[in-house]
Amino acid sequence: MTATDGHAHSAPATARARARAELTREITDAARRQLAEVGSDGLSLRAVARELGMASSAVYRYFASRDELLTALIVEAYDAVGDAAEKAARATSGRPAHRFVAVATAIRAWAVEHPHDYALIYGSPVPGYSAPTETVNPAARVALAALNIFTDGVADGEVATTASGPVPRSVKGAFGRLRAEAGDALSDELLTRVLLAWTAMFGTISFELFGHLHGIVEDYDTFFEHQMRRVARFAVTGDAP
Amino acid sequence: MTATDGHAHSAPATARARARAELTREITDAARRQLAEVGSDGLSLRAVARELGMASSAVYRYFASRDELLTALIVEAYDAVGDAAEKAARATSGRPAHRFVAVATAIRAWAVEHPHDYALIYGSPVPGYSAPTETVNPAARVALAALNIFTDGVADGEVATTASGPVPRSVKGAFGRLRAEAGDALSDELLTRVLLAWTAMFGTISFELFGHLHGIVEDYDTFFEHQMRRVARFAVTGDAP
DNA sequence: TGTACATCAGTGAACGCGCGTTCACTGATGTAC
DNA sequence: TGTACATCAGTGAACGCGCGTTCACTGATGTAC
């Protein structure tokens, strides 16, 4: 989504530009490796420079500050989950519940493979760091991938939009922006169901990765799939599984 | 739960012992205040000492290391949510769904009031810090408070224990330890339902506190209560709300 | 009640460390004519 | 194709800072007789 990445395969540009793009990559890669070792607060420009065998001051040719490097990592992490979710959504067809489970499974697979990137974006906010606006769009991708499954499902008549109970007025009114992004197809009732599935999904993943299911669940794969099936069927039909 | 707190109101002991207990309190209080400002990784013994107007080395008379101070904060945080949950469970009677919503509301209220303590225990794990065993029991309290609602409900015949669908064998087998703590009353089916409610609850709270519902939900109170009602009814009956 | 000794709380200096960021610099790469 | 100048990448030293932890010490509080 970045201007640089967008057409990286086209114009080789100058040797200098190519070298710059490569080194920028190497820096964020090294930073991500360090993130895995010491967490987001331990992330240090100097350590990154050391790993790359360059002077710490040289990193400043690529990132104006530590925070800017952090932002790059956050954007990349959001893009990575977003990619995984979109890919899973594209790769499946048919019943919305089935597609939702596929997207959830892809998101969890990414999280399990990249626990520190997951913690960076879905764990505690980094104190003293406030996410700049450039993280907003990448962050939305993963949610839109899931939401589109339901708009598709509504179009096909496979998703129930009617309410099985009253939705509080103040909850109803709060979805304007979300619906603007996802189209008009989604009723308030459906949105609350989707959000329930969504929070249950991230709650399950966070509990697993952050150790709160330790000693309670043994087979995380099976457990997750089971729970996502229930929650997906509920989101789609409004019925309990 | 600590040996010191357990009977703090009894024997005044010596003046020295009382002073020690007081200062220990002041240190953890100052540390929690600092936690709120700079997060768990920024928490520094020296800053705590500075705030208390004492030499940094003096803190070592009370906590052997920074990690030990962190552990104290974690234990206190777990005890605080545990207290809130137990109090809410005791204060309500009647329908299990109603009691569960009360407990959930109490947990969220604590979290909203103490977002940094919440992040400390339910957010990203502190890198390089592994929770010692003394945190295990305090951590379990809040879960047991919720679980007991369901064991009570089963005893009263108000909670459905029958399966509405098959529970995978590997999920079934994994609950041994949990059931040992909560009694035999809970079927595997019921446990998966309770866990779904549990992860949905923490998922919703984390999403709210960590900013992932920003611009999506406006009235967090109403939204949370609505979702918890759905999820509680589902946990109790196996039916969708 | 008084004395002698042991225990504990708190001090202040020091250890070695790593951090983010700046700055003047050298040398290489790119560009305009 | 060649030259003159501008741009950029990378260096190494330095700035000021805060951290966790240790240590020998002083003085106050507690305890045994």
Side-chain angles (χ1 to χ4, degrees):
Chain A
M1 274 287 187
T2 39
T4 328
D5 291 347
H7 299 284
H9 49 289
S10 64
T14 64
R16 204 184 246 171
R18 262 181 294 118
R20 184 177 182 83
E22 263 176 44
L23 240 175
T24 307
R25 256 262 74 74
E26 280 180 43
I27 289 173
T28 52
D29 284 353
R32 210 191 336 274
R33 251 173 277 134
Q34 211 198 123
L35 184 73
E37 281 170 33
V38 293
S40 59
D41 312 74
L43 197 164
S44 114
L45 278 187
R46 291 186 101 111
V48 169
R50 227 178 289 128
E51 187 176 332
L52 265 48
M54 67 202 299
S56 63
S57 48
V59 178
Y60 284 83
R61 298 276 168 216
Y62 297 86
F63 295 93
S65 68
R66 204 195 84 115
D67 270 14
E68 206 171 272
L69 178 56
L70 241 190
T71 300
L73 289 182
I74 289 173
V75 167
E76 284 188 12
Y78 275 128
D79 272 329
V81 229
D83 268 349
E86 287 170 8
K87 224 167 259 165
R90 270 198 309 271
T92 51
S93 56
R95 303 234 158 249
H98 175 237
R99 295 184 71 202
F100 180 85
V101 172
V103 166
T105 303
I107 292 171
R108 173 171 170 271
W110 177 84
V112 168
E113 265 176 60
H114 308 88
H116 295 90
D117 299 64
Y118 179 86
L120 181 64
I121 54 181
Y122 292 109
S124 334
V126 181
Y129 170 89
S130 83
T133 47
E134 59 187 294
T135 62
V136 172
N137 282 337
R141 286 179 60 192
V142 64
L144 284 182
L147 218 47
N148 286 336
I149 293 177
F150 291 92
T151 46
D152 291 354
V154 169
D156 298 349
E158 297 195 89
V159 170
T161 55
T162 53
S164 52
V167 176
R169 186 189 308 273
S170 65
V171 172
K172 281 172 79 88
F175 291 126
R177 194 173 116 187
L178 227 197
R179 209 184 294 99
E181 292 189 31
D184 275 337
L186 308 180
S187 65
D188 294 318
E189 154 72 12
L190 176 54
L191 276 177
T192 63
R193 292 204 312 258
V194 172
L195 272 173
L196 192 53
W198 202 236
T199 51
M201 185 195 81
F202 277 103
T204 306
I205 295 176
S206 290
F207 257 39
E208 173 183 343
L209 290 186
F210 298 166
H212 294 286
L213 294 180
H214 186 252
I216 293 177
V217 168
E218 276 172 11
D219 182 342
Y220 291 112
D221 288 6
T222 311
F223 175 73
F224 182 78
E225 199 190 328
H226 180 66
Q227 299 291 56
M228 287 307 105
R229 282 226 188 98
R230 303 189 88 133
V231 110
R233 205 165 334 160
F234 165 69
V236 168
T237 63
D239 298 331
Chain B
M1 276 287 187
T2 39
T4 328
D5 291 346
H7 297 283
H9 50 287
S10 64
T14 63
R16 204 186 247 169
R18 263 181 293 118
R20 185 178 181 81
E22 263 177 45
L23 240 174
T24 307
R25 256 262 73 75
E26 280 181 44
I27 290 173
T28 53
D29 284 352
R32 211 191 335 276
R33 250 173 278 133
Q34 212 198 121
L35 184 72
E37 282 170 33
V38 293
S40 58
D41 311 74
L43 197 163
S44 112
L45 280 186
R46 294 188 99 111
V48 169
R50 225 177 291 129
E51 188 175 332
L52 264 47
M54 66 202 300
S56 62
S57 47
V59 179
Y60 283 84
R61 298 275 170 218
Y62 298 86
F63 294 93
S65 67
R66 203 195 84 114
D67 270 14
E68 205 171 271
L69 177 56
L70 241 190
T71 299
L73 289 183
I74 289 173
V75 167
E76 284 187 12
Y78 274 128
D79 272 328
V81 229
D83 268 348
E86 287 171 8
K87 223 166 259 163
R90 270 198 307 272
T92 52
S93 57
R95 303 234 158 249
H98 175 237
R99 296 184 71 202
F100 180 85
V101 172
V103 166
T105 304
I107 293 172
R108 173 171 170 271
W110 176 85
V112 169
E113 267 176 60
H114 307 90
H116 295 90
D117 298 63
Y118 178 87
L120 181 64
I121 55 182
Y122 292 110
S124 333
V126 180
Y129 170 89
S130 82
T133 47
E134 57 188 298
T135 63
V136 172
N137 282 337
R141 285 179 60 190
V142 64
L144 284 182
L147 218 46
N148 286 336
I149 293 176
F150 291 93
T151 45
D152 291 355
V154 169
D156 298 348
E158 296 195 90
V159 170
T161 55
T162 53
S164 53
V167 176
R169 185 189 308 273
S170 64
V171 172
K172 280 172 81 89
F175 290 126
R177 194 172 116 186
L178 226 198
R179 209 185 295 101
E181 292 189 33
D184 275 337
L186 308 179
S187 65
D188 295 318
E189 156 71 13
L190 177 54
L191 276 177
T192 62
R193 292 205 311 258
V194 172
L195 272 173
L196 192 53
W198 203 236
T199 51
M201 185 197 82
F202 277 103
T204 306
I205 295 175
S206 290
F207 257 38
E208 173 184 344
L209 290 186
F210 298 165
H212 294 287
L213 293 179
H214 186 252
I216 293 177
V217 168
E218 275 170 12
D219 182 341
Y220 290 112
D221 288 5
T222 312
F223 175 73
F224 182 78
E225 199 191 328
H226 180 66
Q227 299 290 56
M228 288 307 106
R229 282 227 188 98
R230 304 189 88 133
V231 109
R233 203 163 338 158
F234 164 69
V236 168
T237 63
D239 297 332

